[in-house]
């Protein structure tokens, strides 16, 4: 049996490099680097599996993709990205951001939401679906996952990012709000009180169960922002080498199941099973 506290040998040796390369958004990399590197590797593998190395083009759907934090970098890889988001302002920002990045021809924004997904996109039309920060806000998370999966082609990739229960409990406790921390643990939705801006949080087990129930094989689970939200911002901004060191620490901790229970967010990467006879 492997040691659960020992980092597994990882294929993410270039971890954090992609989003770290944007000097205008150094702190943003703390929130996105782990997910981005896992996603980029998965997209690369999907390109090889589909035999499209010469064109490197996948059809990617980003539900709740907002202003394009992931959509624009994915388009820079050469893929076609459709962003479905309920906010006109977010879609306007997406259009501007895609144009500034020179990928306007590969990014399309559509107003809508995951529960009305097939009013605006085709069922089974995508090689990968990103469902990041969506399940916290839908009335039926299981239905949200099922619809996201229904948008995938056989063998397609699901990237699911949800709010973690343990990270919120730890943050409230460290801030001295012990009653709120206890309330979050007891609440079925993982909320710490009426003032909590997040409607729902998940454990890693809950998210993986939702994914597997939708017929998706779970390939990996990562904890996101295990330490980043707890470290004083002034330290990261002013201490030489602190950001780089924290990014490396996050990358290692993300793969350890022992840290999933205290992560601010949880990332599940899955693959739709190929249909026999196709």
């Amino acid at each position: 049996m492997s040691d659960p506290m020992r980092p597994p040998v990882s294929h993410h040796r270039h971890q954090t490099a992609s989003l770290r390369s944007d000097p205008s958004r150094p702190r943003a990399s703390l929130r996105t680097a782990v997910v981005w590197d896992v996603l980029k590797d998965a997209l690369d593998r999907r390109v090889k599996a589909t035999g499209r190395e010469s064109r490197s083009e996948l059809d990617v759907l980003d539900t709740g993709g907002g202003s394009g934090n992931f959509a624009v970098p994915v388009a820079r890889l050469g893929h076609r990205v459709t962003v479905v988001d309920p906010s006109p302002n977010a879609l306007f920002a997406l259009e501007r951001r895609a144009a500034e990045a020179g990928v306007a021809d590969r990014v399309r924004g559509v107003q809508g939401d995951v529960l009305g997904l097939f009013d605006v996109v085709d069922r089974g039309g995508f090689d990968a679906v990103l469902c990041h920060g969506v399940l916290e806000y839908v009335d039926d998370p299981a239905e949200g996952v099922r619809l996201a999966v229904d948008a995938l082609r056989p063998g397609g990739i699901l990237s699911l990012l949800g709010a973690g229960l343990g990270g919120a409990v730890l943050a409230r406790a460290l801030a001295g709000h012990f009653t709120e921390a206890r309330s979050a643990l007891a609440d079925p939705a993982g909320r710490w009180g009426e003032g909590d801006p997040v409607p729902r949080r998940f454990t890693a087990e809950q998210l993986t169960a939702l994914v597997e129930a939708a017929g998706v094989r779970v390939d990996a689970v990562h904890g996101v922002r295990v330490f980043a939200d707890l470290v004083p911002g002034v330290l990261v901004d002013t201490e030489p080498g602190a950001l780089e060191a924290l990014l490396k620490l996050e990358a290692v901790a993300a793969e350890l199941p022992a840290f999933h229970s205290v992560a601010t967010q949880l990332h599940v990467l899955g693959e739709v099973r190929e249909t026999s006879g196709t």
Side-chain angles (χ1 to χ4, degrees), residues 58-190:
L58 299 176
D59 293 304
V60 179
L61 173 65
D62 189 352
T63 65
S67 61
N69 285 340
F70 282 90
V72 169
V74 168
R76 283 189 185 130
L77 298 177
H79 306 304
R80 295 178 294 266
V81 187
T82 299
V83 175
V84 175
D85 195 279
S87 168
N89 290 337
L91 293 173
F92 177 77
L94 167 71
E95 182 179 357
R96 182 176 58 196
R97 188 172 186 174
E100 290 173 350
V103 294
D105 60 326
R106 293 197 294 274
V107 176
R108 179 173 72 104
V110 183
Q111 190 170 0
D113 58 46
V114 70
L115 295 184
L117 197 56
F118 300 119
D119 294 333
V120 293
V121 301
D122 293 334
R123 190 181 299 268
F126 297 91
D127 298 289
V129 171
L130 282 57
C131 188
H132 295 174
V134 172
L135 298 185
E136 297 93 322
Y137 299 96
V138 298
D139 292 334
D140 187 345
E143 178 71 358
V145 174
R146 187 186 65 78
L147 290 169
V149 171
D150 284 350
L152 285 166
R153 295 167 178 155
I157 298 162
L158 175 68
S159 176
L160 181 66
L161 185 67
L165 170 62
V169 172
L170 183 61
R172 301 314 290 174
L174 291 179
H177 303 299
F178 307 121
T179 300
E180 291 179 349
R182 190 178 72 238
S183 296
L185 280 174
D187 185 70

Side-chain angles (χ1 to χ4, degrees), residues 172-268:
R172 301 314 290 174
L174 291 179
H177 303 299
F178 307 121
T179 300
E180 291 179 349
R182 190 178 72 238
S183 296
L185 280 174
D187 185 70
R191 303 185 76 236
W192 46 256
E194 290 298 322
D196 193 337
V198 179
R200 186 182 291 103
R201 294 185 178 87
F202 304 91
T203 64
E205 292 77 15
Q206 288 171 333
L207 280 182
T208 55
L210 287 173
V211 170
E212 290 172 342
V216 174
R217 183 188 71 224
V218 174
D219 289 338
V221 180
H222 290 83
V224 181
R225 291 156 58 191
V226 175
F227 305 104
D229 292 353
L230 305 177
V231 175
V234 65
L235 187 154
V236 177
D237 293 335
T238 61
E239 186 72 19
L243 176 61
E244 181 78 11
L246 182 53
L247 282 165
K248 291 179 178 178
L249 176 62
E250 289 279 355
V252 174
E255 300 194 17
L256 297 174
F259 288 98
H260 294 171
S261 60
V262 294
T264 299
Q265 292 178 304
L266 295 161
H267 182 241
V268 178

